[in-house]
Amino acid sequence: MSFNFRLAGAVSGLALIASVSAAVAQEIRVWTTETQPARLERQQQMAADYEAASGVKVEMIPVDEGEYSTRATAAFAAGDLPDVIYFPLQHALPWVEAGILDAEAAQEVLESLGADTFAPGGVAMAQTDDGVAGVPVDGWTQMVVYRKDLFEEKGLAAPTTYANVLAAVEALHNPPEMFGFVAATKVDEGFMSQVLEHVLLANGATPVDENGFSGFDEAKTVEALEFYKAIAEASPPGELYWKQSRELYFAGQAAMIIWSPFIMDELAGLRDAAPVTINDDPTSRELANATGFITNFAGPSNPAGAAWADTRYFGITADADTEAAQDFVEFAVSEGYLDTLAIAPEGKFPIRNGTADNPTAYIDGWSKLDVGVDRRAPLSELYPADVIANIVSGLDVGQRWGVSEGQLGLASKIINSQAINRVTREYIDGTISATDAVAKMNAELSELE
C-alpha cells in the first residue's frame, strides 16, 4: 500500500495514545447494513476514534440491506459511490464484475495485514481474478444445536453426519415430550432456504458449476432429500421456521435444531424477549451448559462435509479516495477490530484470527466481549473455550453454492426463487417421489439462467 500508518495504541479499552499523520482525504463515507440504532452508535464511535487518530472524518451511512443492489447500481451510474461499503458475500463477485468494487485495492490491504492471519474460508469466498472483492471482516456459520447431555446419556455420537443425526432421532424422538428434530418446512421463509442449502452442501449437492447451471446430481440430492424428510417427520406438524425451532428447543422439547449463533446469548438466558423455558428460571444457564454445537456437517456422498457460512466484507469502491479508504479499512480490522466486532459479538465471529505476533489475538479478545440484551456477559463466561474454538473454526471451511465456481450470482437467484423449498415440501408431504423432485427442481431452475 502506498499509504499506511500504525497506531501505537488501540481503541476504547486499549487506550488510544498514538499521534499519527493525516490521510489524504479529510472525509470519507462508509455504507453499513448495521442500521439498528445501538449498532449504528457503536460504529459511529469507532469512526470517531479513527478520526481522533487520523484527522479523517468518517460518515457512517446506514443502508437497508434489501436496498443495497439498487442503491449501489444507481450510485455507480452517478459516480457517487461511498468510499467503503460493508457488504455481505452475495455482492462480492457481481460488484467486482460490475466495476463497483476495486479488488486490487482490497487485496493490498489484505496483504498489508497478512492474508494468513485471516480464516482461509472467508478469503477464498471473496477471491476474484483481480484480488479479493473486499477485506473479510466477520461472519458466522450455521450450526446443528443439540442436547449434548441427552446424547451422552444415550451413548450417541455427536450429530456431525446424516447417519449420526438419524441415529439420535431414533433414540430421542418421543413426542410430544421430545421431538427428535425441528426442521424448517415453511417454504416462503429464507430460513428454510438456508437450512436446505446447508443440508445439500453437506452431501456435496450443488446446482451450479463453473459453466453456470449444472442441475442437481440425482444420487446426492436424493440422499439429501431423504434425510430432510426423515428429520421433518421427527418434527412437529405445521409450517415451521426459526421461531418454532428456538421455542421448542428452549422449552426442552427438541433434541436438535439448526440455527445461527445468534441463539447463543438467548440460550444463556440473557434476553427476556426470547426466554429459556426449560425450567422456571428464564435467566438460567442450565440449557446452555447442556448444549453442543456442530458447524461442519457431512452426508454419505461427501465425507468431508461442509459449513454454511455467512460472511461480511469491507469493500473499497471505484469512486473511493483509495488511500484514505484503504487506511480506514486497515484500522477497522486491526486497532479498531474488537470495536468492529463488539457491534454484535454473538453473530460477528472474527474472520481475522490474530496478528503475526499473536495468531489468536482477535479470537481471544472477541470471546471476552459482552453479548446479550437485557443482561450481558462475555461468551467466554457462558461457554467453554473448546466450544468457542469449534464454532469459530467453521469459518475456516465455510462454503456457499456458486462461490468456488464463480457463479454466486446465479446461485443467489436459484435460492431466492424458493423453488427448492417448494419442491422439497412436496416431497415431504408425499405428493412426489425423491427422484421426481430432483427432476422437477432441475427443470424449474434451468429456466432462471
Side-chain angles (χ1 to χ4, degrees):
M1 292 172 59
S2 56
F3 178 83
N4 180 37
F5 69 79
R6 285 287 182 269
L7 297 180
V11 193
S12 290
L14 301 181
L16 184 60
I17 59 172
S19 173
V20 295
S21 59
V24 175
Q26 294 305 303
E27 181 171 350
I28 61 172
R29 295 178 298 150
V30 180
W31 280 5
T32 175
T33 56
E34 298 290 4
T35 60
Q36 297 176 16
R39 295 185 183 187
L40 186 59
E41 184 179 348
R42 282 182 176 271
Q43 293 168 92
Q44 289 168 335
Q45 181 58 55
M46 190 266 286
D49 291 333
Y50 176 73
E51 181 181 358
S54 68
V56 178
K57 181 177 177 60
V58 179
E59 182 184 6
M60 301 298 302
I61 303 171
V63 179
D64 186 85
E65 192 168 322
E67 299 176 2
Y68 248 31
S69 291
T70 53
R71 285 280 297 270
T73 301
F76 177 59
D80 191 34
L81 286 165
D83 298 272
V84 176
I85 304 181
Y86 174 71
F87 67 90
L89 174 65
Q90 61 263 32
H91 296 302
L93 186 59
W95 279 359
V96 170
E97 291 177 343
I100 291 171
L101 295 176
D102 183 346
E104 291 182 1
Q107 184 69 30
E108 288 179 3
V109 176
L110 184 72
E111 291 174 359
S112 174
L113 294 171
D116 59 352
T117 65
F118 290 79
V123 175
M125 288 194 288
Q127 197 66 53
T128 75
D129 292 341
D130 298 321
V132 288
V135 177
V137 181
D138 61 76
W140 54 268
T141 52
Q142 202 157 245
M143 307 181 299
V144 181
V145 180
Y146 72 103
R147 287 291 299 274
K148 182 173 62 174
D149 58 335
L150 301 182
F151 274 64
E152 290 173 353
E153 285 176 16
K154 296 285 187 179
L156 297 165
T160 55
T161 66
Y162 283 12
N164 290 358
V165 169
L166 296 179
V169 165
E170 178 70 22
L172 300 174
H173 184 59
N174 183 33
E177 288 81 13
M178 176 68 68
F179 292 95
F181 216 102
V182 186
T185 56
K186 194 171 189 298
V187 299
D188 60 350
E189 275 280 335
F191 181 66
M192 185 174 180
S193 300
Q194 289 181 11
V195 173
L196 267 174
E197 186 181 355
H198 191 180
V199 168
L200 287 158
L201 269 172
N203 204 40
T206 176
V208 298
D209 62 20
E210 61 275 6
N211 298 314
F213 179 73
S214 60
F216 283 107
D217 174 85
E218 183 179 283
K220 292 179 179 180
T221 309
V222 165
E223 287 175 339
L225 291 177
E226 289 175 345
F227 170 77
Y228 205 83
K229 184 171 185 176
I231 62 172
E233 289 175 342
S235 304
E239 304 284 302
L240 306 173
Y241 58 107
W242 58 266
K243 186 173 186 288
Q244 294 91 344
S245 62
R246 182 179 66 185
E247 288 175 350
L248 286 160
Y249 192 83
F250 281 8
Q253 292 178 268
M256 292 171 281
I257 61 174
I258 291 180
W259 237 81
S260 79
F262 285 95
I263 202 171
M264 295 182 75
D265 60 333
E266 303 165 350
L267 182 62
L270 300 181
R271 186 181 177 197
D272 292 340
V276 176
T277 57
I278 196 170
N279 57 33
D280 58 4
D281 179 8
T283 69
S284 169
R285 295 180 185 173
E286 176 186 334
L287 187 58
N289 294 336
T291 295
F293 306 94
I294 299 296
T295 54
N296 200 66
F297 177 53
S301 292
N302 185 35
W308 186 98
D310 179 58
T311 53
R312 307 278 162 146
Y313 301 85
F314 276 131
I316 296 163
T317 75
D319 296 336
D321 182 309
T322 303
E323 291 184 347
Q326 286 178 315
D327 204 70
F328 170 75
V329 172
E330 187 160 332
F331 169 86
V333 289
S334 55
E335 290 87 355
Y337 195 32
L338 292 180
D339 290 327
T340 300
L341 299 174
I343 294 166
E346 66 277 14
K348 290 184 174 294
F349 293 6
I351 290 186
R352 190 176 186 211
N353 298 330
T355 65
D357 294 333
N358 186 349
T360 63
Y362 297 124
I363 294 176
D364 297 340
W366 164 81
S367 73
K368 296 177 176 64
L369 296 174
D370 280 352
V371 299
V373 177
D374 300 288
R375 289 159 294 283
R376 298 186 66 80
L379 280 171
S380 58
E381 182 183 314
L382 304 176
Y383 299 99
D386 62 327
V387 170
I388 291 173
N390 176 57
I391 59 176
V392 173
S393 68
L395 289 171
D396 292 344
V397 293
Q399 297 180 40
R400 293 281 286 279
W401 283 336
V403 172
S404 61
E405 302 88 353
Q407 298 290 339
L408 186 58
L410 176 59
S412 297
K413 190 185 297 185
I414 286 170
I415 293 163
N416 293 338
S417 74
Q418 298 182 330
I420 298 170
N421 298 8
R422 286 187 282 102
V423 177
T424 298
R425 184 59 194 261
E426 289 180 35
Y427 169 62
I428 290 171
D429 291 343
T431 62
I432 191 173
S433 71
T435 53
D436 287 346
V438 178
K440 185 172 182 178
M441 280 182 196
N442 286 340
E444 289 195 27
L445 297 175
S446 67
E447 298 176 2
L448 297 176
E449 274 200 289

